[in-house]
Structures are given as structure tokens and as C-alpha cells.
PDB file of all heavy atoms in Angstrom:
ATOM      1  N   ARG A   1      -5.459  -8.112   8.311  1.00 73.00           N
ATOM      2  CA  ARG A   1      -4.391  -8.387   9.264  1.00 73.00           C
ATOM      3  C   ARG A   1      -4.447  -7.451  10.467  1.00 73.00           C
ATOM      4  O   ARG A   1      -4.077  -7.826  11.586  1.00 73.00           O
ATOM      5  CB  ARG A   1      -3.044  -8.251   8.551  1.00 73.00           C
ATOM      6  CG  ARG A   1      -1.853  -8.787   9.334  1.00 73.00           C
ATOM      7  CD  ARG A   1      -0.628  -8.817   8.443  1.00 73.00           C
ATOM      8  NE  ARG A   1       0.173  -7.614   8.605  1.00 73.00           N
ATOM      9  CZ  ARG A   1       1.188  -7.296   7.810  1.00 73.00           C
ATOM     10  NH1 ARG A   1       1.490  -8.065   6.793  1.00 73.00           N
ATOM     11  NH2 ARG A   1       1.893  -6.204   8.023  1.00 73.00           N
ATOM     12  N   HIS A   2      -4.926  -6.241  10.244  1.00 67.00           N
ATOM     13  CA  HIS A   2      -4.911  -5.226  11.299  1.00 67.00           C
ATOM     14  C   HIS A   2      -6.291  -4.872  11.837  1.00 67.00           C
ATOM     15  O   HIS A   2      -6.402  -4.290  12.910  1.00 67.00           O
ATOM     16  CB  HIS A   2      -4.228  -3.957  10.785  1.00 67.00           C
ATOM     17  CG  HIS A   2      -2.769  -4.134  10.478  1.00 67.00           C
ATOM     18  ND1 HIS A   2      -1.802  -4.118  11.448  1.00 67.00           N
ATOM     19  CD2 HIS A   2      -2.118  -4.357   9.312  1.00 67.00           C
ATOM     20  CE1 HIS A   2      -0.612  -4.308  10.901  1.00 67.00           C
ATOM     21  NE2 HIS A   2      -0.776  -4.456   9.599  1.00 67.00           N
ATOM     22  N   HIS A   3      -7.324  -5.199  11.074  1.00 65.00           N
ATOM     23  CA  HIS A   3      -8.680  -4.828  11.503  1.00 65.00           C
ATOM     24  C   HIS A   3      -9.603  -6.022  11.281  1.00 65.00           C
ATOM     25  O   HIS A   3      -9.754  -6.488  10.153  1.00 65.00           O
ATOM     26  CB  HIS A   3      -9.201  -3.626  10.709  1.00 65.00           C
ATOM     27  CG  HIS A   3      -8.270  -2.450  10.722  1.00 65.00           C
ATOM     28  ND1 HIS A   3      -8.138  -1.602  11.802  1.00 65.00           N
ATOM     29  CD2 HIS A   3      -7.389  -1.990   9.778  1.00 65.00           C
ATOM     30  CE1 HIS A   3      -7.237  -0.664  11.527  1.00 65.00           C
ATOM     31  NE2 HIS A   3      -6.770  -0.884  10.314  1.00 65.00           N
ATOM     32  N   VAL A   4     -10.224  -6.488  12.360  1.00 59.00           N
ATOM     33  CA  VAL A   4     -11.082  -7.674  12.265  1.00 59.00           C
ATOM     34  C   VAL A   4     -12.562  -7.310  12.221  1.00 59.00           C
ATOM     35  O   VAL A   4     -13.402  -8.189  12.072  1.00 59.00           O
ATOM     36  CB  VAL A   4     -10.825  -8.616  13.461  1.00 59.00           C
ATOM     37  CG1 VAL A   4      -9.400  -9.137  13.426  1.00 59.00           C
ATOM     38  CG2 VAL A   4     -11.104  -7.907  14.786  1.00 59.00           C
ATOM     39  N   SER A   5     -12.892  -6.043  12.339  1.00 58.00           N
ATOM     40  CA  SER A   5     -14.297  -5.636  12.384  1.00 58.00           C
ATOM     41  C   SER A   5     -14.973  -5.700  11.026  1.00 58.00           C
ATOM     42  O   SER A   5     -16.193  -5.781  10.925  1.00 58.00           O
ATOM     43  CB  SER A   5     -14.417  -4.210  12.934  1.00 58.00           C
ATOM     44  OG  SER A   5     -13.826  -3.282  12.034  1.00 58.00           O
ATOM     45  N   GLY A   6     -14.181  -5.626   9.947  1.00 60.00           N
ATOM     46  CA  GLY A   6     -14.749  -5.617   8.609  1.00 60.00           C
ATOM     47  C   GLY A   6     -15.120  -4.227   8.115  1.00 60.00           C
ATOM     48  O   GLY A   6     -15.636  -4.077   7.008  1.00 60.00           O
ATOM     49  N   ALA A   7     -14.875  -3.207   8.926  1.00 61.00           N
ATOM     50  CA  ALA A   7     -15.203  -1.835   8.527  1.00 61.00           C
ATOM     51  C   ALA A   7     -14.302  -1.384   7.380  1.00 61.00           C
ATOM     52  O   ALA A   7     -13.136  -1.772   7.292  1.00 61.00           O
ATOM     53  CB  ALA A   7     -15.039  -0.896   9.718  1.00 61.00           C
ATOM     54  N   LYS A   8     -14.862  -0.550   6.487  1.00 70.00           N
ATOM     55  CA  LYS A   8     -14.118  -0.082   5.328  1.00 70.00           C
ATOM     56  C   LYS A   8     -14.635   1.284   4.911  1.00 70.00           C
ATOM     57  O   LYS A   8     -15.833   1.532   4.889  1.00 70.00           O
ATOM     58  CB  LYS A   8     -14.261  -1.064   4.163  1.00 70.00           C
ATOM     59  CG  LYS A   8     -13.459  -0.684   2.922  1.00 70.00           C
ATOM     60  CD  LYS A   8     -13.738  -1.627   1.790  1.00 70.00           C
ATOM     61  CE  LYS A   8     -12.882  -1.300   0.560  1.00 70.00           C
ATOM     62  NZ  LYS A   8     -13.058   0.099   0.106  1.00 70.00           N
ATOM     63  N   SER A   9     -13.696   2.192   4.587  1.00 79.00           N
ATOM     64  CA  SER A   9     -14.053   3.505   4.053  1.00 79.00           C
ATOM     65  C   SER A   9     -12.894   3.984   3.192  1.00 79.00           C
ATOM     66  O   SER A   9     -11.769   3.489   3.314  1.00 79.00           O
ATOM     67  CB  SER A   9     -14.337   4.504   5.172  1.00 79.00           C
ATOM     68  OG  SER A   9     -13.146   4.808   5.894  1.00 79.00           O
ATOM     69  N   ASP A  10     -13.169   4.959   2.315  1.00 76.00           N
ATOM     70  CA  ASP A  10     -12.116   5.466   1.435  1.00 76.00           C
ATOM     71  C   ASP A  10     -10.995   6.113   2.231  1.00 76.00           C
ATOM     72  O   ASP A  10      -9.805   5.918   1.934  1.00 76.00           O
ATOM     73  CB  ASP A  10     -12.714   6.469   0.447  1.00 76.00           C
ATOM     74  CG  ASP A  10     -13.669   5.805  -0.538  1.00 76.00           C
ATOM     75  OD1 ASP A  10     -13.595   4.571  -0.676  1.00 76.00           O
ATOM     76  OD2 ASP A  10     -14.484   6.518  -1.146  1.00 76.00           O
ATOM     77  N   GLY A  11     -11.359   6.895   3.245  1.00 84.00           N
ATOM     78  CA  GLY A  11     -10.341   7.543   4.058  1.00 84.00           C
ATOM     79  C   GLY A  11      -9.486   6.543   4.810  1.00 84.00           C
ATOM     80  O   GLY A  11      -8.259   6.681   4.900  1.00 84.00           O
ATOM     81  N   ALA A  12     -10.133   5.506   5.343  1.00 88.00           N
ATOM     82  CA  ALA A  12      -9.387   4.466   6.065  1.00 88.00           C
ATOM     83  C   ALA A  12      -8.475   3.697   5.120  1.00 88.00           C
ATOM     84  O   ALA A  12      -7.364   3.305   5.493  1.00 88.00           O
ATOM     85  CB  ALA A  12     -10.362   3.526   6.759  1.00 88.00           C
ATOM     86  N   ASP A  13      -8.933   3.467   3.891  1.00 90.00           N
ATOM     87  CA  ASP A  13      -8.097   2.761   2.922  1.00 90.00           C
ATOM     88  C   ASP A  13      -6.878   3.589   2.526  1.00 90.00           C
ATOM     89  O   ASP A  13      -5.795   3.046   2.274  1.00 90.00           O
ATOM     90  CB  ASP A  13      -8.912   2.417   1.673  1.00 90.00           C
ATOM     91  CG  ASP A  13      -9.776   1.185   1.870  1.00 90.00           C
ATOM     92  OD1 ASP A  13      -9.640   0.535   2.927  1.00 90.00           O
ATOM     93  OD2 ASP A  13     -10.599   0.876   0.986  1.00 90.00           O
ATOM     94  N   ALA A  14      -7.027   4.919   2.457  1.00 93.00           N
ATOM     95  CA  ALA A  14      -5.885   5.781   2.160  1.00 93.00           C
ATOM     96  C   ALA A  14      -4.836   5.668   3.263  1.00 93.00           C
ATOM     97  O   ALA A  14      -3.630   5.567   2.990  1.00 93.00           O
ATOM     98  CB  ALA A  14      -6.347   7.231   2.004  1.00 93.00           C
ATOM     99  N   LYS A  15      -5.296   5.680   4.520  1.00 93.00           N
ATOM    100  CA  LYS A  15      -4.369   5.499   5.635  1.00 93.00           C
ATOM    101  C   LYS A  15      -3.708   4.125   5.575  1.00 93.00           C
ATOM    102  O   LYS A  15      -2.498   3.977   5.828  1.00 93.00           O
ATOM    103  CB  LYS A  15      -5.110   5.665   6.954  1.00 93.00           C
ATOM    104  CG  LYS A  15      -4.223   5.472   8.181  1.00 93.00           C
ATOM    105  CD  LYS A  15      -5.009   5.602   9.478  1.00 93.00           C
ATOM    106  CE  LYS A  15      -4.100   5.356  10.678  1.00 93.00           C
ATOM    107  NZ  LYS A  15      -4.853   5.431  11.964  1.00 93.00           N
ATOM    108  N   LEU A  16      -4.497   3.115   5.216  1.00 92.00           N
ATOM    109  CA  LEU A  16      -3.974   1.759   5.109  1.00 92.00           C
ATOM    110  C   LEU A  16      -2.874   1.676   4.064  1.00 92.00           C
ATOM    111  O   LEU A  16      -1.833   1.055   4.270  1.00 92.00           O
ATOM    112  CB  LEU A  16      -5.125   0.811   4.746  1.00 92.00           C
ATOM    113  CG  LEU A  16      -4.829  -0.684   4.817  1.00 92.00           C
ATOM    114  CD1 LEU A  16      -4.785  -1.140   6.273  1.00 92.00           C
ATOM    115  CD2 LEU A  16      -5.897  -1.465   4.071  1.00 92.00           C
ATOM    116  N   LEU A  17      -3.082   2.322   2.916  1.00 94.00           N
ATOM    117  CA  LEU A  17      -2.087   2.308   1.849  1.00 94.00           C
ATOM    118  C   LEU A  17      -0.802   3.013   2.285  1.00 94.00           C
ATOM    119  O   LEU A  17       0.302   2.560   1.968  1.00 94.00           O
ATOM    120  CB  LEU A  17      -2.658   2.976   0.597  1.00 94.00           C
ATOM    121  CG  LEU A  17      -3.659   2.136  -0.205  1.00 94.00           C
ATOM    122  CD1 LEU A  17      -4.439   3.027  -1.178  1.00 94.00           C
ATOM    123  CD2 LEU A  17      -2.932   1.039  -0.964  1.00 94.00           C
ATOM    124  N   ALA A  18      -0.953   4.128   2.989  1.00 95.00           N
ATOM    125  CA  ALA A  18       0.229   4.843   3.479  1.00 95.00           C
ATOM    126  C   ALA A  18       1.017   3.975   4.453  1.00 95.00           C
ATOM    127  O   ALA A  18       2.255   3.903   4.397  1.00 95.00           O
ATOM    128  CB  ALA A  18      -0.187   6.153   4.140  1.00 95.00           C
ATOM    129  N   ASP A  19       0.318   3.303   5.351  1.00 93.00           N
ATOM    130  CA  ASP A  19       0.983   2.448   6.333  1.00 93.00           C
ATOM    131  C   ASP A  19       1.607   1.229   5.664  1.00 93.00           C
ATOM    132  O   ASP A  19       2.682   0.764   6.064  1.00 93.00           O
ATOM    133  CB  ASP A  19      -0.031   2.008   7.392  1.00 93.00           C
ATOM    134  CG  ASP A  19       0.638   1.550   8.672  1.00 93.00           C
ATOM    135  OD1 ASP A  19       1.619   2.192   9.099  1.00 93.00           O
ATOM    136  OD2 ASP A  19       0.193   0.543   9.247  1.00 93.00           O
ATOM    137  N   LEU A  20       0.956   0.730   4.625  1.00 93.00           N
ATOM    138  CA  LEU A  20       1.480  -0.439   3.912  1.00 93.00           C
ATOM    139  C   LEU A  20       2.814  -0.127   3.245  1.00 93.00           C
ATOM    140  O   LEU A  20       3.770  -0.904   3.365  1.00 93.00           O
ATOM    141  CB  LEU A  20       0.440  -0.909   2.893  1.00 93.00           C
ATOM    142  CG  LEU A  20       0.660  -2.272   2.235  1.00 93.00           C
ATOM    143  CD1 LEU A  20      -0.670  -2.867   1.786  1.00 93.00           C
ATOM    144  CD2 LEU A  20       1.589  -2.187   1.041  1.00 93.00           C
ATOM    145  N   VAL A  21       2.908   1.009   2.549  1.00 94.00           N
ATOM    146  CA  VAL A  21       4.178   1.339   1.890  1.00 94.00           C
ATOM    147  C   VAL A  21       5.229   1.774   2.909  1.00 94.00           C
ATOM    148  O   VAL A  21       6.431   1.712   2.629  1.00 94.00           O
ATOM    149  CB  VAL A  21       3.995   2.422   0.801  1.00 94.00           C
ATOM    150  CG1 VAL A  21       3.152   1.889  -0.342  1.00 94.00           C
ATOM    151  CG2 VAL A  21       3.385   3.694   1.365  1.00 94.00           C
ATOM    152  N   ARG A  22       4.794   2.199   4.082  1.00 94.00           N
ATOM    153  CA  ARG A  22       5.753   2.551   5.131  1.00 94.00           C
ATOM    154  C   ARG A  22       6.440   1.300   5.673  1.00 94.00           C
ATOM    155  O   ARG A  22       7.654   1.300   5.922  1.00 94.00           O
ATOM    156  CB  ARG A  22       5.044   3.286   6.265  1.00 94.00           C
ATOM    157  CG  ARG A  22       5.970   3.729   7.414  1.00 94.00           C
ATOM    158  CD  ARG A  22       5.208   4.505   8.467  1.00 94.00           C
ATOM    159  NE  ARG A  22       4.288   3.654   9.206  1.00 94.00           N
ATOM    160  CZ  ARG A  22       4.602   2.959  10.308  1.00 94.00           C
ATOM    161  NH1 ARG A  22       5.836   3.030  10.806  1.00 94.00           N
ATOM    162  NH2 ARG A  22       3.699   2.223  10.919  1.00 94.00           N
ATOM    163  N   THR A  23       5.697   0.228   5.840  1.00 91.00           N
ATOM    164  CA  THR A  23       6.247  -0.970   6.491  1.00 91.00           C
ATOM    165  C   THR A  23       6.575  -2.112   5.532  1.00 91.00           C
ATOM    166  O   THR A  23       7.493  -2.898   5.793  1.00 91.00           O
ATOM    167  CB  THR A  23       5.254  -1.493   7.543  1.00 91.00           C
ATOM    168  OG1 THR A  23       4.011  -1.828   6.905  1.00 91.00           O
ATOM    169  CG2 THR A  23       4.999  -0.439   8.611  1.00 91.00           C
ATOM    170  N   ASP A  24       5.821  -2.223   4.429  1.00 89.00           N
ATOM    171  CA  ASP A  24       5.945  -3.424   3.585  1.00 89.00           C
ATOM    172  C   ASP A  24       6.262  -3.129   2.126  1.00 89.00           C
ATOM    173  O   ASP A  24       6.054  -3.989   1.269  1.00 89.00           O
ATOM    174  CB  ASP A  24       4.633  -4.235   3.626  1.00 89.00           C
ATOM    175  CG  ASP A  24       4.444  -4.972   4.934  1.00 89.00           C
ATOM    176  OD1 ASP A  24       5.279  -4.783   5.831  1.00 89.00           O
ATOM    177  OD2 ASP A  24       3.463  -5.729   5.061  1.00 89.00           O
ATOM    178  N   ARG A  25       6.764  -1.950   1.824  1.00 89.00           N
ATOM    179  CA  ARG A  25       6.950  -1.624   0.407  1.00 89.00           C
ATOM    180  C   ARG A  25       7.969  -2.524  -0.281  1.00 89.00           C
ATOM    181  O   ARG A  25       7.950  -2.685  -1.499  1.00 89.00           O
ATOM    182  CB  ARG A  25       7.335  -0.159   0.232  1.00 89.00           C
ATOM    183  CG  ARG A  25       8.673   0.248   0.824  1.00 89.00           C
ATOM    184  CD  ARG A  25       8.892   1.745   0.641  1.00 89.00           C
ATOM    185  NE  ARG A  25      10.157   2.207   1.204  1.00 89.00           N
ATOM    186  CZ  ARG A  25      10.343   2.491   2.481  1.00 89.00           C
ATOM    187  NH1 ARG A  25       9.339   2.340   3.356  1.00 89.00           N
ATOM    188  NH2 ARG A  25      11.517   2.919   2.914  1.00 89.00           N
ATOM    189  N   HIS A  26       8.870  -3.123   0.488  1.00 87.00           N
ATOM    190  CA  HIS A  26       9.865  -4.015  -0.114  1.00 87.00           C
ATOM    191  C   HIS A  26       9.219  -5.264  -0.712  1.00 87.00           C
ATOM    192  O   HIS A  26       9.849  -5.970  -1.505  1.00 87.00           O
ATOM    193  CB  HIS A  26      10.909  -4.419   0.941  1.00 87.00           C
ATOM    194  CG  HIS A  26      10.321  -5.125   2.135  1.00 87.00           C
ATOM    195  ND1 HIS A  26       9.652  -4.454   3.142  1.00 87.00           N
ATOM    196  CD2 HIS A  26      10.277  -6.450   2.468  1.00 87.00           C
ATOM    197  CE1 HIS A  26       9.239  -5.318   4.057  1.00 87.00           C
ATOM    198  NE2 HIS A  26       9.599  -6.537   3.663  1.00 87.00           N
ATOM    199  N   ASN A  27       7.981  -5.544  -0.341  1.00 84.00           N
ATOM    200  CA  ASN A  27       7.277  -6.714  -0.884  1.00 84.00           C
ATOM    201  C   ASN A  27       6.403  -6.374  -2.089  1.00 84.00           C
ATOM    202  O   ASN A  27       5.686  -7.243  -2.589  1.00 84.00           O
ATOM    203  CB  ASN A  27       6.391  -7.338   0.198  1.00 84.00           C
ATOM    204  CG  ASN A  27       7.198  -8.003   1.297  1.00 84.00           C
ATOM    205  OD1 ASN A  27       8.211  -8.646   1.011  1.00 84.00           O
ATOM    206  ND2 ASN A  27       6.773  -7.851   2.538  1.00 84.00           N
ATOM    207  N   HIS A  28       6.457  -5.112  -2.533  1.00 85.00           N
ATOM    208  CA  HIS A  28       5.587  -4.687  -3.624  1.00 85.00           C
ATOM    209  C   HIS A  28       6.396  -4.052  -4.749  1.00 85.00           C
ATOM    210  O   HIS A  28       7.579  -3.744  -4.595  1.00 85.00           O
ATOM    211  CB  HIS A  28       4.530  -3.712  -3.090  1.00 85.00           C
ATOM    212  CG  HIS A  28       3.626  -4.337  -2.071  1.00 85.00           C
ATOM    213  ND1 HIS A  28       2.523  -5.084  -2.397  1.00 85.00           N
ATOM    214  CD2 HIS A  28       3.688  -4.338  -0.710  1.00 85.00           C
ATOM    215  CE1 HIS A  28       1.939  -5.520  -1.297  1.00 85.00           C
ATOM    216  NE2 HIS A  28       2.620  -5.078  -0.259  1.00 85.00           N
ATOM    217  N   ARG A  29       5.730  -3.885  -5.868  1.00 81.00           N
ATOM    218  CA  ARG A  29       6.408  -3.454  -7.094  1.00 81.00           C
ATOM    219  C   ARG A  29       6.306  -1.948  -7.277  1.00 81.00           C
ATOM    220  O   ARG A  29       5.225  -1.381  -7.282  1.00 81.00           O
ATOM    221  CB  ARG A  29       5.777  -4.165  -8.311  1.00 81.00           C
ATOM    222  CG  ARG A  29       6.360  -3.766  -9.643  1.00 81.00           C
ATOM    223  CD  ARG A  29       5.797  -4.645 -10.756  1.00 81.00           C
ATOM    224  NE  ARG A  29       4.347  -4.594 -10.827  1.00 81.00           N
ATOM    225  CZ  ARG A  29       3.677  -3.696 -11.546  1.00 81.00           C
ATOM    226  NH1 ARG A  29       4.333  -2.782 -12.242  1.00 81.00           N
ATOM    227  NH2 ARG A  29       2.365  -3.713 -11.576  1.00 81.00           N
ATOM    228  N   ARG A  30       7.470  -1.338  -7.449  1.00 87.00           N
ATOM    229  CA  ARG A  30       7.491   0.088  -7.749  1.00 87.00           C
ATOM    230  C   ARG A  30       7.142   0.294  -9.224  1.00 87.00           C
ATOM    231  O   ARG A  30       7.572  -0.481 -10.094  1.00 87.00           O
ATOM    232  CB  ARG A  30       8.875   0.665  -7.453  1.00 87.00           C
ATOM    233  CG  ARG A  30       8.966   2.173  -7.672  1.00 87.00           C
ATOM    234  CD  ARG A  30      10.321   2.706  -7.232  1.00 87.00           C
ATOM    235  NE  ARG A  30      10.465   4.117  -7.570  1.00 87.00           N
ATOM    236  CZ  ARG A  30      11.533   4.846  -7.274  1.00 87.00           C
ATOM    237  NH1 ARG A  30      12.553   4.279  -6.637  1.00 87.00           N
ATOM    238  NH2 ARG A  30      11.590   6.119  -7.612  1.00 87.00           N
ATOM    239  N   ILE A  31       6.357   1.298  -9.499  1.00 86.00           N
ATOM    240  CA  ILE A  31       5.953   1.571 -10.872  1.00 86.00           C
ATOM    241  C   ILE A  31       7.173   1.955 -11.693  1.00 86.00           C
ATOM    242  O   ILE A  31       7.977   2.798 -11.290  1.00 86.00           O
ATOM    243  CB  ILE A  31       4.890   2.683 -10.925  1.00 86.00           C
ATOM    244  CG1 ILE A  31       3.590   2.184 -10.297  1.00 86.00           C
ATOM    245  CG2 ILE A  31       4.638   3.143 -12.357  1.00 86.00           C
ATOM    246  CD1 ILE A  31       2.483   3.207 -10.257  1.00 86.00           C
ATOM    247  N   ALA A  32       7.308   1.308 -12.840  1.00 79.00           N
ATOM    248  CA  ALA A  32       8.501   1.488 -13.669  1.00 79.00           C
ATOM    249  C   ALA A  32       8.497   2.845 -14.365  1.00 79.00           C
ATOM    250  O   ALA A  32       7.445   3.405 -14.674  1.00 79.00           O
ATOM    251  CB  ALA A  32       8.574   0.383 -14.717  1.00 79.00           C
ATOM    252  N   GLY A  33       9.716   3.313 -14.625  1.00 81.00           N
ATOM    253  CA  GLY A  33       9.874   4.557 -15.371  1.00 81.00           C
ATOM    254  C   GLY A  33      10.089   4.269 -16.837  1.00 81.00           C
ATOM    255  O   GLY A  33      11.165   4.530 -17.392  1.00 81.00           O
ATOM    256  N   ASP A  34       9.074   3.699 -17.487  1.00 86.00           N
ATOM    257  CA  ASP A  34       9.207   3.353 -18.901  1.00 86.00           C
ATOM    258  C   ASP A  34       9.205   4.601 -19.772  1.00 86.00           C
ATOM    259  O   ASP A  34       8.625   5.637 -19.419  1.00 86.00           O
ATOM    260  CB  ASP A  34       8.061   2.433 -19.333  1.00 86.00           C
ATOM    261  CG  ASP A  34       8.122   1.070 -18.663  1.00 86.00           C
ATOM    262  OD1 ASP A  34       9.241   0.632 -18.347  1.00 86.00           O
ATOM    263  OD2 ASP A  34       7.058   0.463 -18.446  1.00 86.00           O
ATOM    264  N   SER A  35       9.818   4.488 -20.936  1.00 91.00           N
ATOM    265  CA  SER A  35       9.867   5.595 -21.885  1.00 91.00           C
ATOM    266  C   SER A  35       8.501   5.783 -22.537  1.00 91.00           C
ATOM    267  O   SER A  35       7.690   4.848 -22.590  1.00 91.00           O
ATOM    268  CB  SER A  35      10.916   5.320 -22.959  1.00 91.00           C
ATOM    269  OG  SER A  35      10.484   4.246 -23.797  1.00 91.00           O
ATOM    270  N   PRO A  36       8.216   6.989 -23.057  1.00 91.00           N
ATOM    271  CA  PRO A  36       6.954   7.202 -23.781  1.00 91.00           C
ATOM    272  C   PRO A  36       6.785   6.253 -24.961  1.00 91.00           C
ATOM    273  O   PRO A  36       5.663   5.836 -25.266  1.00 91.00           O
ATOM    274  CB  PRO A  36       7.059   8.663 -24.240  1.00 91.00           C
ATOM    275  CG  PRO A  36       7.973   9.312 -23.246  1.00 91.00           C
ATOM    276  CD  PRO A  36       8.969   8.242 -22.885  1.00 91.00           C
ATOM    277  N   ASN A  37       7.893   5.896 -25.613  1.00 95.00           N
ATOM    278  CA  ASN A  37       7.820   4.965 -26.736  1.00 95.00           C
ATOM    279  C   ASN A  37       7.331   3.597 -26.279  1.00 95.00           C
ATOM    280  O   ASN A  37       6.479   2.970 -26.920  1.00 95.00           O
ATOM    281  CB  ASN A  37       9.199   4.845 -27.393  1.00 95.00           C
ATOM    282  CG  ASN A  37       9.133   4.119 -28.729  1.00 95.00           C
ATOM    283  OD1 ASN A  37       8.089   3.678 -29.174  1.00 95.00           O
ATOM    284  ND2 ASN A  37      10.277   3.991 -29.382  1.00 95.00           N
TER     285      ASN A  37
END
């Protein structure tokens, strides 16, 4: 959606993930706080 060049790197993906949860986290699932049991 944001990059059409097809370039990919681990560092760029980390930035992408940070930006994704900054703008679109309401569309994703927060990890549950399940009990150890």
C-alpha cells in the first residue's frame, strides 16, 4: 500500500510494523493475557 518498488529488508519491516500499529491497530488483534493454566 505504501511502497510499490518491491524492496524489502528486516529494518524496513520493523518500521512498517511500528507504523502499522500506530495507524491501524484497531483493525488487528491484541495478544490475549491468558492464564498460565
